[in-house]
Amino acid sequence: MIFRNATQADVSTIVEMLTNDKLGRQRESLKDPLPQEYYDAFSKISSDPNQELIVVENDAQIVGTLQLSFIHYLTYRGGMRAQIEAVRIRADQRNKGLGKELFNWAIDRAKEKGAHIVQLTTDKKRPEALKFYKLLGFEASDEGMKLCLFSYFQFKEF
């Protein structure tokens, strides 16, 4: 298994994994050519030293991805948190332990960067993901809330 920073050439494969579930199909657009917004987002992510878009390769094929964000705070005496988002394992590679390996890598990376906590959010419509995260030792310690500022789909053609 190889864990590495994603390149622009990986963007379409990552988007394909993001669309491979019910929720992802509702909000992503896997068209050919891929919408420019994905490449624009990739440029912003890859130029930000506090963001790491990671892919995992097995036998020279991308089989998983996640985004790791490092958030600096004044609380906890200037502590830093690592936020894990957009975790996906390719559909044909699920239930083989790759998700656990990906999380172990991300947790080790967070420690290496000096984060004092690793956190994530998961959609309540993904109970299997919630169960998986609990098995990894994550606890539902806080109640997260969101305020939608606009409906993305009003402004974008999908």
Side-chain angles (χ1 to χ4, degrees), residues 90-115:
R90 203 173 73 194
D92 66 334
Q93 297 296 309
R94 292 182 189 146
N95 300 311
K96 296 181 178 182
L98 297 175
K100 184 176 181 180
E101 286 187 55
L102 184 56
F103 266 85
N104 286 338
W105 181 91
I107 291 165
D108 287 344
R109 178 69 175 140
K111 289 176 185 175
E112 177 183 307
K113 293 273 287 190

Side-chain angles (χ1 to χ4, degrees), residues 116-150:
H116 73 276
I117 195 167
V118 176
Q119 62 188 27
L120 56 84
T121 60
T122 189
D123 196 298
K124 291 180 179 182
K125 296 174 188 149
R126 290 190 165 114
E128 68 286 346
L130 183 59
K131 182 179 176 183
F132 173 69
Y133 300 144
K134 285 181 178 180
L135 288 172
L136 292 174
F138 286 85
E139 297 177 8
S141 61
D142 298 84
E143 185 72 23
M145 299 173 77
K146 295 180 183 177
L147 172 64
C148 292
L149 301 177
F150 65 90

Side-chain angles (χ1 to χ4, degrees), residues 42-68:
F42 174 79
S43 291
K44 290 174 185 173
I45 293 165
S46 63
S47 67
D48 184 340
N50 293 308
Q51 302 292 327
E52 296 182 6
L53 183 59
I54 302 299
V55 294
V56 57
E57 290 182 349
N58 192 17
D59 294 328
Q61 293 185 24
I62 295 174
V63 295
T65 186
L66 64 71
Q67 184 169 339
L68 192 56

